[in-house]
C-alpha cells in the first residue's frame, strides 16, 4: 500500500457482521488497513468468543495496531453480555454525587474491557440532560446541569484512562437538549450562543483542559454555531470551536455516518468530503463497510487533486498514530480459557451492590 493510502486507512473505523470475522472482512482489513473496528451486541457473545474475535482483529492488522472499540457506557448502552458486569446508567452514577465511586466504576469498566481485548470506549457521555424528554440522551447523561456532569464524568474518565482504556467523550457540542434521535432524524437546537456556552459546552471545555484523548461529534444542527450544517460536517464547529477556541488536539471521531441524520441528506462522498474538511479525524461506518470502501477511494482521489485535503489527512494521521503509540503497545485480551475465571476474580458485584 502506498503511503497516502496507508494514511487514509487510519481515518476510518468500521464494523463487522457477526461474532467472527468473515473471509471478506479479513480481505478488506488487509487491503485498506482501517484504523480499527467497533463492536456491537451482535458481535459479543460468550467471553471466550469475544476475546477470540478481538484477538483475530488484532492479528489481522499488519503494522499499525487497531482500535478495538465499543460503546460501553452502562445502563441501556452496553455491549458486553453476562458474565461481564452491567454497570449502571450515568444518571444513576451522577445521582450518588460521589466522584470516588465514579472513578471506581470507570476503572472497573476498563478492567473488563481490557480482559476482552477492547482498547477504546466511546464514553463518557458529556452531554447535559437539559431536556428530560430527549429520546436519545436521557439517563445516559451524568447530570442535568454542567457542573454535575463535569465532576462525575471527569472522575469516571480518569478511572477508565487509569485502567488503560482510551476514553472518547461524546457528543460534541452537545446532544442533551434535542427532541429527536439522530439515528432516525436530524435534530435542531435553536439555543443562543450564550445558552450553548452556559450549558452544553462546559463539560467539553473541561474535558479539553484535562486533555481527554478523543471526542465524538454530534449529528445536530446548532444555527447559533452553523446555520446550515450539522456539527459533524461543520468546519465552524469542529475546527473553529473545538480545535481553535477550546484548544483540542486529540482525535475527533464522527458519529456513525450511516445514521439517518446524515445519510438521508448527504451521499457518502459528500458527507466524507464535508467531515474531513470540517476537521474530523476518523469517520465511523459502523454497519456498512462497503460505504467505508467507497468513502476511502473517494478520499484518495480528493487527496490526489487537492493539497488542502492532503494536509487534513496528514494532520489526522498524526493524531491517530500518536494516540495508538501511547496506548496500543500490546494486545490485552487474556486466553479464551481464562477469561471467565478472570472476570469472576474481579468481583465487581460488591462495587455494584450500592445500586441494588
Amino acid at each position: 500500500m502506498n503511503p497516502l493510502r496507508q494514511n487514509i486507512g487510519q481515518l476510518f473505523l468500521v464494523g463487522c457482521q457477526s461474532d467472527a470475522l468473515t473471509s471478506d472482512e479479513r480481505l478488506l482489513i488487509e487491503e485498506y488497513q482501517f484504523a480499527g473496528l467497533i463492536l456491537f451486541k451482535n458481535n459479543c457473545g460468550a467471553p471466550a468468543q469475544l476475546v477470540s474475535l478481538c484477538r483475530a482483529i488484532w492479528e489481522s492488522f499488519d503494522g499499525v495496531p487497531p482500535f478495538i472499540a465499543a460503546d460501553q457506557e452502562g445502563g441501556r448502552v452496553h455491549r458486553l453480555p453476562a458474565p461481564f458486569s452491567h454497570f449502571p446508567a450515568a444518571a444513576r452514577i451522577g445521582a450518588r454525587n460521589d466522584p470516588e465511586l465514579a472513578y471506581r466504576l470507570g476503572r472497573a469498566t476498563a478492567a473488563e474491557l481490557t480482559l476482552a481485548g477492547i482498547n477504546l470506549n466511546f464514553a463518557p457521555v458529556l452531554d447535559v440532560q437539559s431536556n428530560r424528554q430527549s429520546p436519545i440522551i436521557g439517563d445516559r447523561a451524568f447530570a442535568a446541569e454542567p457542573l454535575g456532569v463535569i465532576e462525575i464524568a471527569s472522575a469516571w474518565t480518569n478511572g477508565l484512562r487509569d485502567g488503560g482504556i482510551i476514553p472518547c467523550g461524546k457528543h460534541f457540542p452537545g446532544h442533551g437538549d434535542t427532541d429527536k434521535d439522530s439515528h432516525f432524524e436530524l435534530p435542531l437546537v435553536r439555543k443562543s450562543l450564550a445558552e450553548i456556552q452556559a450549558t452544553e459546552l462546559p463539560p467539553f471545555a473541561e474535558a479539553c483542559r484535562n486533555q481527554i484523548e478523543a471526542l465524538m461529534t454530534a449529528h445536530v444542527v446548532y444555527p447559533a454555531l452553523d446555520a446550515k450544517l450539522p456539527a459533524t460536517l461543520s468546519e465552524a464547529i469542529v475546527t473553529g470551536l473545538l480545535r481553535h477556541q477550546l484548544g483540542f488536539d486529540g482525535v475527533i471521531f464522527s458519529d456513525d455516518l450511516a445514521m439517518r441524520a446524515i445519510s438521508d441528506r448527504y451521499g457518502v462522498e459528500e458527507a466524507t468530503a464535508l467531515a474531513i474538511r470540517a476537521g474530523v479525524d476518523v469517520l465511523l461506518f459502523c454497519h456498512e463497510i462497503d460505504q467505508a470502501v467507497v468513502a476511502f477511494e473517494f478520499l484518495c482521489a480528493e487527496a490526489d487533486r487537492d493539497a488542502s485535503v492532503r494536509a487534513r489527512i496528514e494532520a489526522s494521521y498524526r493524531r491517530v498514530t500518536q494516540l495508538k503509540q501511547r496506548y496500543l503497545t500490546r494486545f490485552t485480551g487474556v486466553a479464551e480459557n481464562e477469561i471467565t475465571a478472570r472476570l469472576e476474580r474481579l468481583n465487581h458485584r460488591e462495587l455494584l451492590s450500592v445500586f441494588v
Side-chain angles (χ1 to χ4, degrees), residues 193-254:
L193 178 59
E195 290 172 321
I196 296 166
Q197 291 172 331
T199 301
E200 273 71 26
L201 292 185
F204 294 98
E206 182 65 21
C208 292
R209 283 191 288 269
N210 290 337
Q211 297 183 321
I212 193 168
E213 288 79 353
L215 291 172
M216 175 181 282
T217 60
H219 299 333
V220 178
V221 173
Y222 275 89
L225 303 176
D226 187 317
K228 180 182 178 182
L229 294 169
T232 298
L233 309 183
S234 168
E235 187 172 9
I237 294 174
V238 177
T239 295
L241 178 55
L242 183 53
R243 292 288 189 211
H244 293 165
Q245 294 184 39
L246 298 185
F248 183 64
D249 193 40
V251 175
I252 299 175
F253 290 84
S254 76

Side-chain angles (χ1 to χ4, degrees), residues 21-275:
L21 291 178
T22 67
S23 57
D24 285 346
E25 287 166 346
R26 289 178 184 273
L27 289 172
L28 288 171
I29 289 170
E30 180 180 350
E31 180 173 356
Y32 292 99
Q33 289 296 302
F34 299 119
L37 272 73
I38 179 170
L39 305 181
F40 291 90
K41 281 190 174 181
N42 63 303
N43 308 123
C44 303
Q49 169 273 321
L50 178 57
V51 74
S52 177
L53 173 59
C54 290
R55 190 185 311 280
I57 292 169
W58 183 273
E59 292 174 350
S60 295
F61 282 77
D62 180 23
V64 181
F67 292 129
I68 304 175
D71 297 286
Q72 191 72 353
E73 300 172 16
R76 58 194 161 104
V77 180
H78 70 108
R79 307 305 187 206
L80 279 59
F84 291 96
S85 300
H86 190 163
F87 293 101
R92 294 187 67 197
I93 299 171
R96 305 286 302 191
N97 195 28
D98 184 345
E100 181 181 353
L101 176 62
Y103 174 89
R104 292 174 62 201
L105 288 162
R107 189 68 182 260
T109 300
E112 298 198 3
L113 293 173
T114 297
L115 289 181
I118 293 167
N119 51 46
L120 168 62
N121 191 6
F122 286 122
V125 169
L126 296 175
D127 305 306
V128 178
Q129 191 194 6
S130 51
N131 178 0
R132 293 186 178 276
Q133 305 306 312
S134 170
I136 184 65
I137 300 301
D139 66 356
R140 297 170 65 192
F142 286 102
E145 44 81 28
L147 290 179
V149 173
I150 288 170
E151 183 177 34
I152 302 303
S154 295
W156 190 93
T157 301
N158 287 337
L160 194 74
R161 176 189 291 126
D162 289 350
I165 297 294
I166 301 168
C168 180
K170 58 191 186 185
H171 309 79
F172 183 82
H175 212 317
D177 198 35
T178 58
D179 61 0
K180 293 181 173 63
D181 183 341
S182 53
H183 289 87
F184 308 108
E185 302 176 82
L186 178 61
L188 184 149
V189 176
R190 294 192 179 278
K191 283 187 168 182
S192 68
L193 178 59
E195 290 172 321
I196 296 166
Q197 291 172 331
T199 301
E200 273 71 26
L201 292 185
F204 294 98
E206 182 65 21
C208 292
R209 283 191 288 269
N210 290 337
Q211 297 183 321
I212 193 168
E213 288 79 353
L215 291 172
M216 175 181 282
T217 60
H219 299 333
V220 178
V221 173
Y222 275 89
L225 303 176
D226 187 317
K228 180 182 178 182
L229 294 169
T232 298
L233 309 183
S234 168
E235 187 172 9
I237 294 174
V238 177
T239 295
L241 178 55
L242 183 53
R243 292 288 189 211
H244 293 165
Q245 294 184 39
L246 298 185
F248 183 64
D249 193 40
V251 175
I252 299 175
F253 290 84
S254 76
D255 209 339
D256 184 5
L257 290 178
M259 290 164 61
R260 292 181 60 183
I262 300 296
S263 63
D264 279 0
R265 291 161 179 81
Y266 304 90
V268 172
E269 294 181 354
E270 184 182 12
T272 297
L274 287 168

